[in-house]
Structure formats: C-alpha cells, structure tokens
Amino acid sequence: MVERAELIQELKTLRKGRGLAGRVDDRVGPFLRTACSVSEGDGMVAIREKVSGRLSSLASHLPEDLRVAALAAFAISTEARHPLYQDRVRWAASLLDRDPRTVRRRVDEAIEVLAELASSSPSPALSPDSWHTASLSVSLVLDQGAPLVLEQRRIVADRDGLTSLDLAVSLPAGRRDVSATVLYGGRLVDRGMEASDRWGFALALPRPLTRGESWESSVLFRLSSPSALHPHMVCVPRQPCESFDLRVRFDGQPEVRVLEGAFQRDVSDPAYRGRPHAVDPSGEIHLRFQRLTPGLAYGARWSEQL
C-alpha cells in the first residue's frame, strides 16, 4: 500500500509538460513507482507502459468526465498528446463541452480519486492474491443478543496451485471479541491482529486449485456483544469482486444508509451520508452490489441518529 497524500503530489507533478508522452524516468516519483510496480531496472519505455497502464485501469472506475479529464491530463489518450498541459485541458474541454477552468477542477478531482484507489488496493503485479471473488453473500443478525455473521463466498483461482485464501475482518479498535467457525470449504488459519482494528485469517484449502477453477466456502462469525461490531457492515474487496449480496436483520427500526463505492475513510464519517434505505416490517434490509471496485466500500451503515 502507498501513501495517498504523496501520490497526489506525484500525480500533479506528472501531469505537467508533456505528461507521460515526455521523459518519465526522472518524473515518476517513488510512491507512484510502487503503485505501478515499476522496478529499479526499468527503462523509460517500461516505466511509461506500466504507469499509463495502471492509471488507465484505475481511471476506468471513474465517472466519464473525470476519466476523460485524467487520461487527457497525463497524455494517455492518443488524441490528447499535446506538448503543453493547457492544450490537453482545452482538448478535454472541447470533448466534454465544458470550459477549461471546469476541466482543470475535474483533473484535480480525478487525481484525488486515482490516489485513493491506488493507495487502497495493491497493483495486480504486487498483490500476493491469485484469485478473485465471483460472489459474496453476507447475512448479519442483530436481534439475537450477540451478533451473528454468516459469510458465503465463491472464488475463482487465477493461477494453478492456489492453496489458501488470505482474508480479514475489521473490528472496533482494541477488540477481538469474535470467534469464527468454518462450515465448509477449508480450514481456518488465525493470522492474528494485522492492525489495531483488523483481524487477519486465512482459509487453507483441502487441495490446490487449478486456474479458472471455482471454490465455495462458508464461515460463521460469532461476536460477544453488539459493542464488538461497528454500526456498519461493508465489503472492501482487495481483489475484483463480481457480486456482493448483503442481508441485515436489526433489533428495531434504525435509520439505514447505503454505501456504494465509498472511500474507506467515509464509512465511519458522519459527514458522508450515503443514500437512505428503508427497513422492512421484519426489521430487515437486503442489498445487492455488482462489479465492486477493489479498495472501495460497499454495504450499509445504521444509527438511530444519522
């Protein structure tokens, strides 16, 4: 993982002059090199290919106006490879039917989001994971005293010889009031607290998987009390996730907000509202999400006083 603030500064430096169409060996900073898997021995052509490829991949998750602005700013778009930044801004302004000042603001917004995405999820070349999630289903029960979480997952191996899945759950800082039972699909390996609020574990598979093979597993989590759980349930995938199905059964009728593609820091930020979602007469909600972006949060947050 890399630092967001430093990435923002390095991206703002990179957009100057000819952007990625010019010399890049001495203009791609250390944080951007890490985010784009640039090796010490890479030459200018390799650096340009890796950086443009990574930024293009991340930009594909942006709204169209931010994506166009970003690809033009860094001279990734073939049509926008003008020698000056202001010329590339004017090209994007014409394409988007906006004035250049608006496009410059869009570039700044895009850089903020690109840095967030790059710092939240590792580059595929750096990621130790060699699998992706085809479907994830989570059911949370809050009306039985101690919360229960049932997680059912179907993954697809992206390489031969996959033997384990690295996973993690977030808990209130300093708490580890949770037990996990594998119902099927492997053996639990406790990796301990990876951070003050994140418990890491692995699912050791009974046999190696071949590339393209799918595998299903289910884990039941039991928490000691409601205070051992954040007032939200979100999925923040580290690798691509095709679908996420979330059910929550509340003890009452709280106000609920849906988080879809939120930054991780926004999940617990009261200023980030999300969209409201009604709780049915049984005290339940059911949410579905498709094609989740790695590093962003999807799920629900609840409170009596949102």
Side-chain angles (χ1 to χ4, degrees), residues 235-299:
C235 171
V236 184
R238 292 193 298 184
Q239 58 281 114
C241 179
E242 296 174 16
S243 71
F244 173 41
D245 190 278
L246 173 64
R247 295 177 184 268
V248 183
R249 183 177 179 89
F250 297 100
D251 183 13
Q253 294 281 326
E255 295 183 43
V256 175
R257 299 280 174 168
V258 176
L259 308 176
E260 185 167 7
F263 294 140
Q264 292 186 52
R265 66 176 184 273
D266 292 333
V267 172
S268 56
D269 184 355
Y272 185 88
R273 303 287 292 175
R275 72 173 188 270
H277 188 86
V279 178
D280 73 19
S282 299
E284 299 178 6
I285 62 169
H286 184 197
L287 304 173
R288 295 184 178 91
F289 304 94
Q290 300 291 327
R291 294 181 293 278
L292 284 66
T293 299
L296 298 185
Y298 300 78

Short mmCIF file of all heavy atoms in Angstrom, two decimals, residues 235-299:
data_model
loop_
_atom_site.label_atom_id
_atom_site.label_comp_id
_atom_site.label_asym_id
_atom_site.label_seq_id
_atom_site.Cartn_x
_atom_site.Cartn_y
_atom_site.Cartn_z
N CYS A 235 -18.24 -4.37 2.59
CA CYS A 235 -17.22 -5.17 1.91
C CYS A 235 -16.26 -4.20 1.24
O CYS A 235 -16.68 -3.32 0.49
CB CYS A 235 -17.86 -6.09 0.89
SG CYS A 235 -16.68 -6.96 -0.18
N VAL A 236 -14.97 -4.35 1.55
CA VAL A 236 -13.92 -3.57 0.88
C VAL A 236 -12.99 -4.59 0.21
O VAL A 236 -12.03 -5.06 0.82
CB VAL A 236 -13.13 -2.69 1.88
CG1 VAL A 236 -12.11 -1.84 1.13
CG2 VAL A 236 -14.07 -1.81 2.69
N PRO A 237 -13.28 -4.97 -1.03
CA PRO A 237 -12.51 -6.05 -1.67
C PRO A 237 -11.08 -5.64 -1.96
O PRO A 237 -10.81 -4.50 -2.34
CB PRO A 237 -13.28 -6.33 -2.95
CG PRO A 237 -13.98 -5.04 -3.27
CD PRO A 237 -14.32 -4.44 -1.93
N ARG A 238 -10.17 -6.58 -1.75
CA ARG A 238 -8.78 -6.35 -2.11
C ARG A 238 -8.49 -6.80 -3.54
O ARG A 238 -7.48 -6.43 -4.12
CB ARG A 238 -7.85 -7.09 -1.14
CG ARG A 238 -7.86 -6.52 0.26
CD ARG A 238 -6.73 -7.06 1.10
NE ARG A 238 -6.79 -8.50 1.29
CZ ARG A 238 -5.94 -9.18 2.06
NH1 ARG A 238 -4.97 -8.55 2.67
NH2 ARG A 238 -6.08 -10.49 2.20
N GLN A 239 -9.36 -7.65 -4.06
CA GLN A 239 -9.26 -8.09 -5.45
C GLN A 239 -10.64 -7.95 -6.08
O GLN A 239 -11.61 -7.68 -5.38
CB GLN A 239 -8.77 -9.54 -5.54
CG GLN A 239 -9.62 -10.55 -4.82
CD GLN A 239 -9.39 -10.59 -3.33
OE1 GLN A 239 -10.28 -10.24 -2.59
NE2 GLN A 239 -8.22 -11.01 -2.91
N PRO A 240 -10.75 -8.06 -7.39
CA PRO A 240 -12.06 -7.88 -8.03
C PRO A 240 -13.14 -8.76 -7.41
O PRO A 240 -12.89 -9.92 -7.06
CB PRO A 240 -11.79 -8.26 -9.49
CG PRO A 240 -10.34 -7.96 -9.69
CD PRO A 240 -9.68 -8.30 -8.38
N CYS A 241 -14.33 -8.20 -7.28
CA CYS A 241 -15.48 -8.92 -6.73
C CYS A 241 -16.66 -8.68 -7.66
O CYS A 241 -17.04 -7.52 -7.89
CB CYS A 241 -15.79 -8.43 -5.32
SG CYS A 241 -17.22 -9.22 -4.54
N GLU A 242 -17.19 -9.75 -8.23
CA GLU A 242 -18.25 -9.61 -9.23
C GLU A 242 -19.59 -9.27 -8.61
O GLU A 242 -20.37 -8.48 -9.18
CB GLU A 242 -18.35 -10.89 -10.05
CG GLU A 242 -17.09 -11.18 -10.87
CD GLU A 242 -17.15 -12.53 -11.58
OE1 GLU A 242 -18.26 -13.09 -11.68
OE2 GLU A 242 -16.09 -13.03 -12.00
N SER A 243 -19.92 -9.83 -7.43
CA SER A 243 -21.20 -9.52 -6.80
C SER A 243 -21.11 -9.66 -5.29
O SER A 243 -20.37 -10.51 -4.78
CB SER A 243 -22.31 -10.42 -7.36
OG SER A 243 -22.15 -11.75 -6.90
N PHE A 244 -21.87 -8.83 -4.60
CA PHE A 244 -21.93 -8.82 -3.13
C PHE A 244 -23.39 -8.69 -2.73
O PHE A 244 -24.07 -7.73 -3.11
CB PHE A 244 -21.10 -7.67 -2.57
CG PHE A 244 -21.23 -7.46 -1.09
CD1 PHE A 244 -21.27 -8.53 -0.21
CD2 PHE A 244 -21.31 -6.17 -0.56
CE1 PHE A 244 -21.38 -8.33 1.16
CE2 PHE A 244 -21.43 -5.97 0.80
CZ PHE A 244 -21.47 -7.05 1.67
N ASP A 245 -23.87 -9.66 -1.96
CA ASP A 245 -25.25 -9.71 -1.51
C ASP A 245 -25.24 -9.56 0.02
O ASP A 245 -24.59 -10.34 0.71
CB ASP A 245 -25.89 -11.03 -1.91
CG ASP A 245 -27.39 -11.06 -1.68
OD1 ASP A 245 -27.81 -11.30 -0.53
OD2 ASP A 245 -28.13 -10.85 -2.65
N LEU A 246 -25.94 -8.56 0.54
CA LEU A 246 -25.92 -8.27 1.97
C LEU A 246 -27.34 -8.26 2.54
O LEU A 246 -28.22 -7.58 2.02
CB LEU A 246 -25.26 -6.91 2.24
CG LEU A 246 -25.31 -6.40 3.69
CD1 LEU A 246 -24.53 -7.34 4.62
CD2 LEU A 246 -24.76 -4.98 3.77
N ARG A 247 -27.52 -9.02 3.61
CA ARG A 247 -28.77 -9.01 4.37
C ARG A 247 -28.43 -8.67 5.83
O ARG A 247 -27.48 -9.22 6.39
CB ARG A 247 -29.48 -10.37 4.32
CG ARG A 247 -29.97 -10.77 2.93
CD ARG A 247 -30.60 -12.16 2.98
NE ARG A 247 -31.01 -12.63 1.66
CZ ARG A 247 -32.21 -12.45 1.14
NH1 ARG A 247 -33.14 -11.79 1.84
NH2 ARG A 247 -32.51 -12.91 -0.06
N VAL A 248 -29.22 -7.76 6.41
CA VAL A 248 -29.06 -7.42 7.82
C VAL A 248 -30.43 -7.48 8.48
O VAL A 248 -31.40 -6.92 7.96
CB VAL A 248 -28.45 -6.01 8.02
CG1 VAL A 248 -28.25 -5.73 9.51
CG2 VAL A 248 -27.14 -5.87 7.26
N ARG A 249 -30.49 -8.18 9.63
CA ARG A 249 -31.72 -8.24 10.43
C ARG A 249 -31.46 -7.46 11.71
O ARG A 249 -30.64 -7.87 12.54
CB ARG A 249 -32.12 -9.68 10.73
CG ARG A 249 -33.44 -9.80 11.51
CD ARG A 249 -33.82 -11.26 11.73
NE ARG A 249 -35.05 -11.38 12.49
CZ ARG A 249 -36.27 -11.42 11.96
NH1 ARG A 249 -36.40 -11.34 10.64
NH2 ARG A 249 -37.33 -11.53 12.72
N PHE A 250 -32.18 -6.34 11.89
CA PHE A 250 -31.97 -5.45 13.01
C PHE A 250 -32.88 -5.79 14.18
O PHE A 250 -33.92 -6.45 14.02
CB PHE A 250 -32.22 -3.99 12.60
CG PHE A 250 -31.29 -3.48 11.53
CD1 PHE A 250 -31.69 -3.41 10.20
CD2 PHE A 250 -30.01 -3.07 11.86
CE1 PHE A 250 -30.84 -2.94 9.23
CE2 PHE A 250 -29.15 -2.59 10.89
CZ PHE A 250 -29.56 -2.52 9.57
N ASP A 251 -32.50 -5.32 15.34
CA ASP A 251 -33.35 -5.37 16.53
C ASP A 251 -34.03 -4.01 16.65
O ASP A 251 -33.61 -3.15 17.43
CB ASP A 251 -32.51 -5.68 17.77
CG ASP A 251 -33.37 -5.83 19.02
OD1 ASP A 251 -34.59 -5.94 18.89
OD2 ASP A 251 -32.80 -5.80 20.14
N GLY A 252 -35.02 -3.76 15.83
CA GLY A 252 -35.68 -2.46 15.80
C GLY A 252 -35.75 -1.92 14.39
O GLY A 252 -35.62 -2.67 13.41
N GLN A 253 -35.95 -0.61 14.30
CA GLN A 253 -36.10 0.05 13.01
C GLN A 253 -35.14 1.24 12.91
O GLN A 253 -35.54 2.40 12.94
CB GLN A 253 -37.55 0.54 12.84
CG GLN A 253 -38.58 -0.57 12.75
CD GLN A 253 -38.62 -1.20 11.37
OE1 GLN A 253 -38.43 -0.53 10.36
NE2 GLN A 253 -38.89 -2.50 11.32
N PRO A 254 -33.83 0.98 12.81
CA PRO A 254 -32.88 2.10 12.73
C PRO A 254 -32.93 2.78 11.36
O PRO A 254 -33.48 2.23 10.40
CB PRO A 254 -31.54 1.41 12.93
CG PRO A 254 -31.74 0.05 12.35
CD PRO A 254 -33.17 -0.32 12.72
N GLU A 255 -32.37 3.96 11.30
CA GLU A 255 -32.16 4.61 10.00
C GLU A 255 -30.95 3.97 9.34
O GLU A 255 -29.92 3.73 9.98
CB GLU A 255 -31.93 6.10 10.19
CG GLU A 255 -33.13 6.85 10.74
CD GLU A 255 -32.85 8.34 10.83
OE1 GLU A 255 -32.27 8.89 9.87
OE2 GLU A 255 -33.20 8.95 11.85
N VAL A 256 -31.06 3.70 8.07
CA VAL A 256 -30.01 2.99 7.34
C VAL A 256 -29.59 3.81 6.13
O VAL A 256 -30.43 4.39 5.43
CB VAL A 256 -30.49 1.59 6.88
CG1 VAL A 256 -29.44 0.92 6.01
CG2 VAL A 256 -30.82 0.73 8.09
N ARG A 257 -28.29 3.85 5.90
CA ARG A 257 -27.72 4.49 4.71
C ARG A 257 -26.92 3.48 3.93
O ARG A 257 -26.16 2.68 4.50
CB ARG A 257 -26.81 5.66 5.11
CG ARG A 257 -27.52 6.76 5.88
CD ARG A 257 -28.28 7.68 4.96
NE ARG A 257 -29.07 8.66 5.71
CZ ARG A 257 -29.64 9.71 5.14
NH1 ARG A 257 -29.52 9.92 3.84
NH2 ARG A 257 -30.37 10.55 5.87
N VAL A 258 -27.07 3.51 2.63
CA VAL A 258 -26.33 2.60 1.75
C VAL A 258 -25.02 3.26 1.32
O VAL A 258 -25.00 4.43 0.92
CB VAL A 258 -27.16 2.24 0.50
CG1 VAL A 258 -26.35 1.36 -0.45
CG2 VAL A 258 -28.44 1.53 0.92
N LEU A 259 -23.94 2.51 1.42
CA LEU A 259 -22.62 2.96 0.97
C LEU A 259 -22.25 2.17 -0.28
O LEU A 259 -22.18 0.94 -0.24
CB LEU A 259 -21.57 2.74 2.06
CG LEU A 259 -21.90 3.31 3.44
CD1 LEU A 259 -20.83 2.93 4.45
CD2 LEU A 259 -22.05 4.82 3.37
N GLU A 260 -22.05 2.85 -1.37
CA GLU A 260 -21.74 2.18 -2.64
C GLU A 260 -20.59 2.88 -3.32
O GLU A 260 -20.71 3.99 -3.81
CB GLU A 260 -22.96 2.15 -3.56
CG GLU A 260 -22.74 1.35 -4.83
CD GLU A 260 -24.03 1.06 -5.57
OE1 GLU A 260 -25.10 1.58 -5.17
OE2 GLU A 260 -23.99 0.29 -6.54
N GLY A 261 -19.42 2.24 -3.31
CA GLY A 261 -18.23 2.85 -3.88
C GLY A 261 -17.71 3.99 -3.03
O GLY A 261 -17.14 4.95 -3.55
N ALA A 262 -17.86 3.89 -1.71
CA ALA A 262 -17.37 4.93 -0.81
C ALA A 262 -15.90 4.70 -0.48
O ALA A 262 -15.41 3.55 -0.51
CB ALA A 262 -18.19 4.95 0.48
N PHE A 263 -15.19 5.78 -0.17
CA PHE A 263 -13.82 5.62 0.32
C PHE A 263 -13.87 5.03 1.72
O PHE A 263 -14.82 5.25 2.48
CB PHE A 263 -13.09 6.96 0.35
CG PHE A 263 -12.87 7.55 -1.02
CD1 PHE A 263 -13.02 8.91 -1.24
CD2 PHE A 263 -12.50 6.75 -2.09
CE1 PHE A 263 -12.81 9.47 -2.48
CE2 PHE A 263 -12.29 7.30 -3.35
CZ PHE A 263 -12.45 8.66 -3.54
N GLN A 264 -12.82 4.30 2.10
CA GLN A 264 -12.82 3.65 3.41
C GLN A 264 -12.96 4.66 4.54
O GLN A 264 -13.62 4.39 5.54
CB GLN A 264 -11.53 2.83 3.57
CG GLN A 264 -11.46 1.63 2.65
CD GLN A 264 -10.26 0.77 2.92
OE1 GLN A 264 -10.01 0.36 4.05
NE2 GLN A 264 -9.48 0.49 1.88
N ARG A 265 -12.35 5.82 4.38
CA ARG A 265 -12.43 6.82 5.46
C ARG A 265 -13.83 7.38 5.61
O ARG A 265 -14.16 7.96 6.64
CB ARG A 265 -11.43 7.95 5.18
CG ARG A 265 -11.75 8.79 3.96
CD ARG A 265 -10.77 9.95 3.81
NE ARG A 265 -11.10 10.81 2.70
CZ ARG A 265 -10.68 10.61 1.46
NH1 ARG A 265 -9.91 9.57 1.20
NH2 ARG A 265 -11.02 11.44 0.48
N ASP A 266 -14.67 7.23 4.56
CA ASP A 266 -16.03 7.76 4.62
C ASP A 266 -16.99 6.85 5.36
O ASP A 266 -18.08 7.29 5.76
CB ASP A 266 -16.57 8.00 3.20
CG ASP A 266 -15.84 9.11 2.47
OD1 ASP A 266 -15.32 10.00 3.16
OD2 ASP A 266 -15.78 9.07 1.23
N VAL A 267 -16.62 5.59 5.56
CA VAL A 267 -17.56 4.63 6.14
C VAL A 267 -18.02 5.07 7.52
O VAL A 267 -19.19 4.98 7.87
CB VAL A 267 -16.91 3.23 6.20
CG1 VAL A 267 -17.79 2.26 6.98
CG2 VAL A 267 -16.65 2.70 4.80
N SER A 268 -17.09 5.58 8.34
CA SER A 268 -17.43 6.00 9.69
C SER A 268 -17.51 7.51 9.84
O SER A 268 -17.60 8.02 10.96
CB SER A 268 -16.41 5.43 10.69
OG SER A 268 -15.10 5.83 10.34
N ASP A 269 -17.49 8.23 8.73
CA ASP A 269 -17.55 9.69 8.77
C ASP A 269 -19.00 10.15 8.70
O ASP A 269 -19.67 9.94 7.68
CB ASP A 269 -16.75 10.27 7.59
CG ASP A 269 -16.70 11.80 7.61
OD1 ASP A 269 -17.35 12.41 8.49
OD2 ASP A 269 -16.01 12.37 6.76
N PRO A 270 -19.53 10.80 9.76
CA PRO A 270 -20.93 11.23 9.75
C PRO A 270 -21.26 12.20 8.61
O PRO A 270 -22.41 12.32 8.20
CB PRO A 270 -21.11 11.90 11.12
CG PRO A 270 -20.00 11.36 11.96
CD PRO A 270 -18.87 11.13 11.03
N ALA A 271 -20.24 12.90 8.10
CA ALA A 271 -20.47 13.86 7.03
C ALA A 271 -20.80 13.16 5.71
O ALA A 271 -21.38 13.77 4.82
CB ALA A 271 -19.26 14.77 6.85
N TYR A 272 -20.40 11.88 5.58
CA TYR A 272 -20.72 11.13 4.37
C TYR A 272 -22.07 10.46 4.59
O TYR A 272 -22.20 9.54 5.40
CB TYR A 272 -19.65 10.08 4.07
CG TYR A 272 -19.89 9.35 2.76
CD1 TYR A 272 -19.39 9.86 1.57
CD2 TYR A 272 -20.61 8.17 2.72
CE1 TYR A 272 -19.60 9.20 0.37
CE2 TYR A 272 -20.83 7.50 1.53
CZ TYR A 272 -20.32 8.02 0.35
OH TYR A 272 -20.54 7.37 -0.82
N ARG A 273 -23.09 10.91 3.89
CA ARG A 273 -24.44 10.48 4.20
C ARG A 273 -24.85 9.17 3.53
O ARG A 273 -25.56 8.36 4.11
CB ARG A 273 -25.44 11.58 3.77
CG ARG A 273 -25.19 12.93 4.42
CD ARG A 273 -25.58 12.90 5.87
NE ARG A 273 -27.02 12.77 6.04
CZ ARG A 273 -27.61 12.63 7.21
NH1 ARG A 273 -26.89 12.54 8.31
NH2 ARG A 273 -28.93 12.54 7.30
N GLY A 274 -24.43 8.95 2.31
CA GLY A 274 -24.95 7.79 1.61
C GLY A 274 -26.42 7.99 1.26
O GLY A 274 -27.01 9.03 1.58
N ARG A 275 -27.02 7.01 0.64
CA ARG A 275 -28.44 7.15 0.31
C ARG A 275 -29.29 6.37 1.31
O ARG A 275 -28.90 5.28 1.77
CB ARG A 275 -28.72 6.67 -1.11
CG ARG A 275 -28.66 5.19 -1.33
CD ARG A 275 -29.13 4.83 -2.75
NE ARG A 275 -29.28 3.41 -2.94
CZ ARG A 275 -28.32 2.60 -3.36
NH1 ARG A 275 -27.13 3.11 -3.66
NH2 ARG A 275 -28.55 1.31 -3.50
N PRO A 276 -30.45 6.89 1.68
CA PRO A 276 -31.30 6.21 2.67
C PRO A 276 -31.89 4.93 2.10
O PRO A 276 -32.12 4.81 0.91
CB PRO A 276 -32.38 7.26 2.98
CG PRO A 276 -32.44 8.12 1.77
CD PRO A 276 -31.04 8.17 1.22
N HIS A 277 -32.14 3.99 3.00
CA HIS A 277 -32.75 2.71 2.60
C HIS A 277 -33.72 2.29 3.69
O HIS A 277 -33.37 2.26 4.88
CB HIS A 277 -31.68 1.65 2.40
CG HIS A 277 -32.21 0.38 1.80
ND1 HIS A 277 -32.34 0.20 0.46
CD2 HIS A 277 -32.66 -0.77 2.37
CE1 HIS A 277 -32.82 -1.00 0.19
NE2 HIS A 277 -33.04 -1.61 1.36
N ALA A 278 -34.93 1.94 3.30
CA ALA A 278 -35.97 1.58 4.26
C ALA A 278 -35.72 0.19 4.85
O ALA A 278 -35.23 -0.72 4.17
CB ALA A 278 -37.34 1.61 3.59
N VAL A 279 -36.07 0.05 6.13
CA VAL A 279 -36.05 -1.24 6.81
C VAL A 279 -37.46 -1.82 6.74
O VAL A 279 -38.44 -1.12 7.03
CB VAL A 279 -35.62 -1.08 8.28
CG1 VAL A 279 -35.66 -2.43 9.00
CG2 VAL A 279 -34.22 -0.47 8.36
N ASP A 280 -37.60 -3.08 6.32
CA ASP A 280 -38.95 -3.63 6.16
C ASP A 280 -39.59 -3.94 7.53
O ASP A 280 -38.91 -3.88 8.56
CB ASP A 280 -38.93 -4.84 5.22
CG ASP A 280 -38.31 -6.09 5.84
OD1 ASP A 280 -38.21 -6.18 7.07
OD2 ASP A 280 -37.92 -6.99 5.07
N PRO A 281 -40.87 -4.31 7.56
CA PRO A 281 -41.55 -4.56 8.84
C PRO A 281 -40.92 -5.66 9.69
O PRO A 281 -41.12 -5.70 10.90
CB PRO A 281 -42.97 -4.94 8.40
CG PRO A 281 -43.16 -4.24 7.09
CD PRO A 281 -41.82 -4.31 6.43
N SER A 282 -40.15 -6.54 9.06
CA SER A 282 -39.46 -7.60 9.82
C SER A 282 -38.15 -7.12 10.41
O SER A 282 -37.46 -7.89 11.10
CB SER A 282 -39.19 -8.81 8.91
OG SER A 282 -40.39 -9.37 8.41
N GLY A 283 -37.80 -5.86 10.13
CA GLY A 283 -36.53 -5.33 10.63
C GLY A 283 -35.35 -5.71 9.76
O GLY A 283 -34.22 -5.76 10.26
N GLU A 284 -35.58 -5.95 8.47
CA GLU A 284 -34.51 -6.43 7.59
C GLU A 284 -34.27 -5.50 6.41
O GLU A 284 -35.18 -4.77 5.98
CB GLU A 284 -34.87 -7.83 7.06
CG GLU A 284 -35.04 -8.88 8.13
CD GLU A 284 -35.43 -10.23 7.55
OE1 GLU A 284 -35.45 -10.35 6.30
OE2 GLU A 284 -35.71 -11.17 8.33
N ILE A 285 -33.06 -5.57 5.89
CA ILE A 285 -32.71 -4.95 4.61
C ILE A 285 -32.00 -6.00 3.76
O ILE A 285 -31.41 -6.95 4.28
CB ILE A 285 -31.80 -3.72 4.76
CG1 ILE A 285 -30.45 -4.11 5.39
CG2 ILE A 285 -32.48 -2.61 5.56
CD1 ILE A 285 -29.41 -3.00 5.33
N HIS A 286 -32.09 -5.83 2.45
CA HIS A 286 -31.42 -6.72 1.50
C HIS A 286 -30.83 -5.85 0.40
O HIS A 286 -31.57 -5.16 -0.31
CB HIS A 286 -32.40 -7.73 0.93
CG HIS A 286 -31.76 -8.73 0.02
ND1 HIS A 286 -32.47 -9.52 -0.87
CD2 HIS A 286 -30.45 -9.07 -0.15
CE1 HIS A 286 -31.65 -10.30 -1.53
NE2 HIS A 286 -30.41 -10.05 -1.12
N LEU A 287 -29.50 -5.87 0.26
CA LEU A 287 -28.81 -5.04 -0.72
C LEU A 287 -28.00 -5.92 -1.66
O LEU A 287 -27.45 -6.96 -1.25
CB LEU A 287 -27.86 -4.05 -0.02
CG LEU A 287 -28.47 -3.11 1.01
CD1 LEU A 287 -27.37 -2.33 1.72
CD2 LEU A 287 -29.46 -2.16 0.34
N ARG A 288 -27.91 -5.50 -2.93
CA ARG A 288 -27.10 -6.21 -3.91
C ARG A 288 -26.19 -5.22 -4.61
O ARG A 288 -26.62 -4.13 -5.01
CB ARG A 288 -27.98 -6.91 -4.95
CG ARG A 288 -28.86 -8.02 -4.39
CD ARG A 288 -29.62 -8.71 -5.53
NE ARG A 288 -30.46 -9.82 -5.06
CZ ARG A 288 -31.72 -9.68 -4.71
NH1 ARG A 288 -32.31 -8.46 -4.76
NH2 ARG A 288 -32.42 -10.72 -4.31
N PHE A 289 -24.93 -5.62 -4.79
CA PHE A 289 -23.95 -4.79 -5.47
C PHE A 289 -23.26 -5.63 -6.55
O PHE A 289 -23.01 -6.82 -6.35
CB PHE A 289 -22.90 -4.26 -4.49
CG PHE A 289 -23.47 -3.50 -3.33
CD1 PHE A 289 -23.74 -4.15 -2.12
CD2 PHE A 289 -23.73 -2.15 -3.42
CE1 PHE A 289 -24.27 -3.46 -1.05
CE2 PHE A 289 -24.26 -1.45 -2.35
CZ PHE A 289 -24.53 -2.11 -1.16
N GLN A 290 -22.93 -4.99 -7.66
CA GLN A 290 -22.29 -5.68 -8.78
C GLN A 290 -20.98 -4.99 -9.15
O GLN A 290 -20.85 -3.77 -9.05
CB GLN A 290 -23.22 -5.70 -10.01
CG GLN A 290 -24.56 -6.39 -9.78
CD GLN A 290 -24.43 -7.88 -9.60
OE1 GLN A 290 -23.55 -8.51 -10.20
NE2 GLN A 290 -25.29 -8.47 -8.78
N ARG A 291 -20.02 -5.80 -9.57
CA ARG A 291 -18.73 -5.31 -10.09
C ARG A 291 -18.11 -4.29 -9.13
O ARG A 291 -17.93 -3.12 -9.47
CB ARG A 291 -18.90 -4.72 -11.49
CG ARG A 291 -19.29 -5.78 -12.52
CD ARG A 291 -19.45 -5.17 -13.90
NE ARG A 291 -20.59 -4.25 -13.95
CZ ARG A 291 -21.84 -4.62 -14.10
NH1 ARG A 291 -22.16 -5.89 -14.20
NH2 ARG A 291 -22.81 -3.72 -14.14
N LEU A 292 -17.76 -4.76 -7.96
CA LEU A 292 -17.17 -3.90 -6.94
C LEU A 292 -15.74 -3.49 -7.32
O LEU A 292 -14.98 -4.29 -7.88
CB LEU A 292 -17.14 -4.62 -5.58
CG LEU A 292 -18.48 -4.73 -4.82
CD1 LEU A 292 -19.48 -5.61 -5.56
CD2 LEU A 292 -18.23 -5.27 -3.42
N THR A 293 -15.39 -2.26 -7.02
CA THR A 293 -14.05 -1.76 -7.29
C THR A 293 -13.14 -2.05 -6.10
O THR A 293 -13.46 -1.66 -4.97
CB THR A 293 -14.07 -0.24 -7.53
OG1 THR A 293 -14.89 0.04 -8.67
CG2 THR A 293 -12.66 0.30 -7.78
N PRO A 294 -12.02 -2.74 -6.30
CA PRO A 294 -11.11 -3.02 -5.19
C PRO A 294 -10.71 -1.73 -4.47
O PRO A 294 -10.40 -0.72 -5.09
CB PRO A 294 -9.90 -3.68 -5.86
CG PRO A 294 -10.48 -4.32 -7.08
CD PRO A 294 -11.56 -3.38 -7.56
N GLY A 295 -10.72 -1.79 -3.13
CA GLY A 295 -10.33 -0.65 -2.32
C GLY A 295 -11.46 0.27 -1.92
O GLY A 295 -11.27 1.12 -1.05
N LEU A 296 -12.64 0.12 -2.53
CA LEU A 296 -13.78 0.95 -2.16
C LEU A 296 -14.78 0.13 -1.34
O LEU A 296 -14.78 -1.10 -1.39
CB LEU A 296 -14.46 1.53 -3.40
CG LEU A 296 -13.60 2.46 -4.26
CD1 LEU A 296 -14.42 3.05 -5.40
CD2 LEU A 296 -12.97 3.57 -3.42
N ALA A 297 -15.63 0.83 -0.59
CA ALA A 297 -16.53 0.18 0.36
C ALA A 297 -17.96 0.10 -0.17
O ALA A 297 -18.48 1.06 -0.75
CB ALA A 297 -16.52 0.94 1.68
N TYR A 298 -18.60 -1.05 0.07
CA TYR A 298 -19.98 -1.30 -0.35
C TYR A 298 -20.71 -1.96 0.82
O TYR A 298 -20.21 -2.93 1.41
CB TYR A 298 -20.02 -2.23 -1.56
CG TYR A 298 -19.30 -1.70 -2.78
CD1 TYR A 298 -17.90 -1.77 -2.86
CD2 TYR A 298 -20.00 -1.12 -3.83
CE1 TYR A 298 -17.24 -1.27 -3.97
CE2 TYR A 298 -19.33 -0.63 -4.94
CZ TYR A 298 -17.96 -0.70 -5.01
OH TYR A 298 -17.28 -0.20 -6.11
N GLY A 299 -21.88 -1.44 1.16
CA GLY A 299 -22.64 -2.03 2.25
C GLY A 299 -23.62 -1.05 2.86
O GLY A 299 -24.22 -0.23 2.16
#
